[in-house]
Amino acid sequence: MFKNLRILILLMILLTVAGTTWLSRWQAQSWTRPQVVTLYPINAGGDAATDAYLDRLDESAFAGLEPYFREQAASFGLPLSQPMRFVLARRVRALPPSVPRDGGALSAISWSLRMRWWAWRETPPSSPKPDVRLYLLYHPVVPGTVLPHSTGLEKGRLGLVNVFAGRAQEGSNQVVIAHETLHTFGATDKYDLGSLMPRFPEGYADPRREPRLPQSQAELMAGRIPLREDQARIPGGLGETVVGAGTAVEIGWVK
Ligand SMILES: [Zn+2]
């Protein structure tokens, strides 16, 4: 009797989790209203130069994102004039749990749970209500610095995005923000994890181009513009990227 009851309760929990996951995916990919992506700036290292940059930071640093997604969605015939709205929220002072480096499945699950708990506790209230929460970790501009890997989670619809605290870097920062945003809508990476080279054909902005290389733009989820078989460069701004057909299917722009 008790055993049956226990199984019934477990089954109900499982169904609720499955239902919530399905519902959040449906909400993310139905595109019946603009999706609100709220940005929370954080000073990752606590240095004074980054503080000064963040004190002056306003919406102009993110002004390219809304028109970019409007144009990209329109090119796939999405009948929604504004698919995304980006909102700059107050700064967050607490640091999120750092992303594990070992790449193991268990530590990834544990980090994802801790991250969602941290976000639930530390996110300041903002209006309109966010659909997606992106925590922007700002780092000082030091030549030669390689930023830690950014992460966007579809489950929980949040992301940790590493960016530079510099006006000159705002173009490339927006590319990283756009990339991680689409992860929260279910898009997958389209580059080779070992070499970081875009995968053909899905990671190419124009896979039908002849000759195939060099390409002039990057597919957003491939992240780089392929120049030669073994050479690619990081785009300087959203104008050098497009959302490819494979990504458009993954995020529900093309049914
Ligand atoms: Zn990615």
Side-chain angles (χ1 to χ4, degrees):
M1 172 65 189
F2 280 118
K3 197 177 165 199
N4 285 346
L5 195 65
R6 229 167 49 209
I7 291 174
L8 188 71
I9 291 171
L10 273 176
L11 208 67
M12 276 163 65
I13 293 174
L14 256 175
L15 277 175
T16 311
V17 170
T20 315
T21 308
W22 178 85
L23 192 71
S24 99
R25 171 165 273 219
W26 179 81
Q27 274 167 351
Q29 301 190 344
S30 61
W31 301 104
T32 48
R33 62 165 176 84
Q35 294 289 296
V36 177
V37 181
T38 305
L39 310 171
Y40 305 91
I42 299 174
N43 184 346
D47 62 290
T50 302
D51 255 340
Y53 175 82
L54 291 184
D55 283 343
R56 287 191 302 270
L57 185 71
D58 61 21
E59 250 125 21
S60 68
F62 312 101
L65 287 156
E66 285 178 10
Y68 173 75
F69 282 115
R70 192 181 309 135
E71 277 165 32
Q72 296 299 312
S75 75
F76 289 100
L78 191 80
L80 182 66
S81 59
Q82 190 185 19
M84 299 219 205
R85 198 172 149 196
F86 285 82
V87 175
L88 178 60
R90 290 210 317 264
R91 268 172 79 172
V92 171
R93 304 280 165 175
L95 288 178
S98 45
V99 182
R101 285 175 197 193
D102 62 2
L106 263 183
S107 56
I109 293 170
S110 146
W111 175 79
S112 150
L113 290 174
R114 279 181 292 131
M115 181 63 210
R116 284 153 80 179
W117 170 251
W118 176 89
W120 181 73
R121 289 185 49 136
E122 302 292 347
T123 306
S126 65
S127 176
K129 189 176 171 289
D131 294 299
V132 173
R133 292 163 295 169
L134 292 186
Y135 303 90
L136 308 182
L137 290 165
Y138 277 91
H139 300 262
V141 183
V142 179
T145 307
V146 179
L147 290 178
H149 200 72
S150 295
T151 312
L153 295 176
E154 187 187 5
K155 284 201 182 103
R157 307 200 66 196
L158 51 84
L160 269 192
V161 189
N162 288 287
V163 285
F164 282 116
R167 295 302 297 266
Q169 283 72 25
E170 285 172 359
S172 50
N173 285 349
Q174 290 184 92
V175 174
V176 186
I177 293 167
H179 176 106
E180 299 307 331
T181 297
L182 289 198
H183 274 316
T184 71
F185 286 86
T188 58
D189 282 321
K190 290 169 185 67
Y191 59 86
D192 182 272
L193 289 176
S195 67
L196 303 181
M197 288 296 291
R199 290 199 310 257
F200 183 82
E202 70 272 27
Y204 278 55
D206 185 4
R208 271 176 256 172
R209 181 190 169 102
E210 282 297 336
R212 190 191 292 175
L213 294 168
Q215 294 268 315
S216 59
Q217 289 181 302
E219 199 288 326
L220 183 63
M221 300 313 290
R224 281 160 203 261
I225 307 169
L227 302 175
R228 294 197 321 230
E229 285 301 335
D230 58 351
Q231 194 194 348
R233 79 172 170 85
I234 291 171
L238 288 168
E240 288 192 311
T241 78
V242 296
V243 173
T247 298
V249 170
E250 287 174 336
I251 62 174
W253 279 0
V254 178
K255 302 288 184 215

